[in-house]
Amino acid sequence: MSECSERTIGHSSERSERIIGHGPPPLLLRGVRPYGEGDPIDLMLRDGVIAEAGPGLDATGAEVRDCGGLVALPGFVDLHTHLREPGREDAETIATGSAAAALGGYTAVFAMANTEPVADTAMAVEHVWRRGQQIGLVDVAPVGAVTVGLGGEQLAELGAMAGSAAGVRVFSDDGVCVHDPLLMRRALEYSTSLGAVIAQHAQEPRLTVGAQAHEGEIAARLGLAGWPATAEESIVARDCMLAAAAGARLHVCHVSSAGTVDVLRWARGRTTAEVTPHHLLLSDERLAGYDPVNKVNPPLRTRDDSAALRAALAEGVIDCVATDHAPHAPQDKDCEWEAASPGMLGLQTALSVVVETMVRPGLLDWRGVARVMSERPAAVGGIATQGRPLATGEPATLVLVDPDATWTVRGAQLASLASNTPFEGMTLPARVVTTLLRGRVTADDGKVRR
Ligand code: DOR
């Protein structure tokens, strides 16, 4: 280590990653198709960046990988991940969730605040951020709670969380709605001075008391209490007006209904929004067998809702895909419907579901996938080093995808501690082959590289 060089990457010295020594040897990716476009080219990755790009690059001194025309995309960014640590390490940990993320092609995840204890202080978010860095498979950006203990009564220390080493830029009470309009207004106003965004779980609580499933024909037939789409739509409309009045940034979590799409179209430019893979693919018709693996909040809605969500994502009315990866331990999920916790795994299946619902029907091309799974979520979450173009001088933070592969989902084989995938047994298109974070391979051929 006599010639040890040291370099920093990141926004500040506290937030930065130290690379000691010369790092891994240069890696030449031979024959990749950036954004699935044009003839295959080579990418030379050196010192964490894309050093050269073009056909027939000189391989001298580099490890060479023959990529046989794999599609190269910027690493995926998930704005909505439940990592469960601290508190519910029986369902997921930052380590197992990071592994699932890397295997799913993700290079950054936003860890939701509904842990036990809730991430509502600078110390709590710093703990999650540090643990993510130690594991090093993906950039873990903690989301801070909007209200103390997600209680909806008192604003949390937003400024202290933003100013902490974790540099929080996304605040959310996800799991519950910030339903008090005065508190929401104050949070929006305060967030403007922090350069932050408030991500709202839009669910009017009085309209969803005891709600178990999408309010409609199927819930009525099954005898399940209804969760009306208007409970989402009315909060989204209200919050768009509050955000515009405050000059603040609002982000709408897990949009689930065609009516919300109408509101977003009306409010275009005043908010950003995400949709989950499960709401793109699945409908409430799945509920017939009362299998709680299909229970999620907001609920699976109708086929028409899914179609509207797909069209909105293609059009850019919905900005991005976010997984709402929600692992649950068997005792919380494998029980009768009403007692089961809502939520579904998503990190390792997201790309394939997006290809199935958006690429195969011609609603998005690979450049569109890069937009909705990497560029837009990185921009909404304010991570400058992610979602970058695949170009010389940019971070070597990318994913290689086999567009022609198919695979069959088996929950027990996923890297998460939990196995509550609604896609069990489905054969889906496209496979993540390799994920790279700043030039380092984090997942390769279905295996995590630590
Ligand atoms: O289904 C859900 N599960 N929706 C949420 O908003 C929270 C999440 C969880 O934490 O399990």
Side-chain angles (χ1 to χ4, degrees):
M1 294 286 278
S2 57
E3 290 176 13
C4 174
S5 71
E6 204 169 290
R7 204 162 62 81
T8 55
I9 295 177
H11 305 296
S12 69
S13 56
E14 267 267 77
R15 291 190 76 185
S16 64
E17 174 180 311
R18 290 162 82 232
I19 298 177
I20 297 174
H22 294 291
L27 179 61
L28 182 69
L29 303 177
R30 184 78 88 197
V32 297
R33 296 178 65 231
Y35 307 101
E37 293 168 357
D39 292 330
I41 62 163
D42 300 345
L43 298 179
M44 176 70 87
L45 313 183
R46 192 183 295 128
D47 295 333
V49 300
I50 301 172
E52 293 169 75
L57 295 183
D58 179 5
T60 308
E63 183 192 325
V64 180
R65 279 183 180 228
D66 191 356
C67 296
L70 294 176
V71 172
L73 300 173
F76 304 145
V77 175
D78 191 17
L79 273 175
H80 195 141
T81 309
H82 296 275
L83 292 179
R84 303 293 187 224
E85 183 180 344
R88 287 310 303 265
E89 290 86 349
D90 55 333
E92 192 79 290
T93 65
I94 296 171
T96 57
S98 293
L103 289 165
Y106 286 89
T107 48
V109 299
F110 284 77
M112 276 298 169
N114 65 338
T115 47
E116 298 173 18
V118 169
D120 58 5
T121 62
M123 204 163 79
V125 292
E126 279 188 5
H127 168 78
V128 172
W129 174 72
R130 285 219 161 81
R131 188 76 194 110
Q133 284 224 321
Q134 280 165 4
I135 293 156
L137 290 173
V138 289
D139 289 341
V140 175
V143 173
V146 176
T147 68
V148 173
L150 309 183
E153 289 186 349
Q154 191 190 334
L155 269 193
E157 305 170 356
L158 307 195
M161 288 188 271
S164 74
V168 174
R169 291 293 177 272
V170 180
F171 293 96
S172 181
D173 274 5
D174 180 68
V176 288
C177 181
V178 182
H179 62 89
D180 178 340
L182 180 59
L183 206 55
M184 186 60 179
R185 178 183 174 185
R186 294 283 177 257
L188 286 163
E189 285 168 349
Y190 195 26
S191 70
T192 58
S193 62
L194 305 173
V197 61
I198 304 290
Q200 175 70 296
H201 171 120
Q203 176 178 3
E204 213 303 310
R206 294 274 294 146
L207 293 175
T208 51
V209 175
Q212 292 290 327
H214 168 64
E215 184 179 278
E217 224 180 288
I218 290 177
R221 204 173 334 120
L222 297 175
L224 296 172
W227 197 132
T230 46
E232 176 175 293
E233 294 150 8
S234 54
I235 291 288
V236 175
R238 179 199 81 173
D239 287 354
C240 287
M241 308 207 81
L242 290 175
R249 290 175 57 216
L250 169 72
H251 177 73
V252 181
C253 294
H254 41 50
V255 173
S256 69
S257 85
T260 301
V261 170
D262 290 340
V263 176
L264 293 172
R265 201 168 266 123
W266 158 79
R268 217 165 169 178
R270 279 183 276 166
T271 183
T272 56
E274 69 189 34
V275 62
T276 69
H278 48 268
H279 287 108
L280 289 173
L281 182 61
L282 307 175
S283 77
D284 62 350
E285 289 167 33
R286 305 249 319 181
L287 271 49
Y290 291 98
D291 184 344
V293 81
N294 297 306
K295 183 172 175 179
V296 68
N297 190 23
L300 301 179
R301 300 201 186 272
T302 66
R303 279 178 191 241
D304 287 349
D305 288 303
S306 297
L309 296 171
R310 284 184 232 138
L313 184 64
E315 246 184 273
V317 171
I318 293 177
D319 297 76
C320 58
V321 171
T323 66
D324 197 2
H325 178 82
H328 287 295
Q331 69 271 22
D332 298 320
K333 202 62 177 161
D334 302 342
C335 49
E336 72 274 27
W337 181 279
E338 295 204 353
S341 298
M344 302 172 161
L345 299 186
L347 287 168
Q348 279 179 261
T349 45
L351 172 73
S352 292
V353 175
V354 169
V355 172
E356 173 74 16
T357 54
M358 302 297 296
V359 178
R360 278 198 160 174
L363 291 168
L364 282 183
D365 56 13
W366 289 106
R367 203 166 268 276
V369 173
R371 171 168 58 81
V372 302
M373 294 190 71
S374 178
E375 294 160 9
R376 290 300 297 147
V380 172
I383 314 188
T385 54
Q386 298 267 348
R388 304 292 308 170
L390 296 176
T392 309
E394 295 287 352
T397 296
L398 51 103
V399 55
L400 304 178
V401 173
D402 181 349
D404 302 319
T406 58
W407 63 292
T408 301
V409 181
R410 299 284 172 220
Q413 289 167 11
L414 300 175
S416 281
L417 275 186
S419 53
N420 53 300
T421 172
F423 309 114
E424 180 71 36
M426 280 190 194
T427 297
L428 294 172
R431 195 172 66 89
V432 170
V433 178
T434 306
T435 311
L436 294 116
L437 178 64
R438 293 183 280 277
R440 196 167 52 78
V441 174
T442 53
D444 204 18
D445 205 14
K447 288 182 197 65
V448 167
R449 291 268 210 98
R450 288 177 205 280

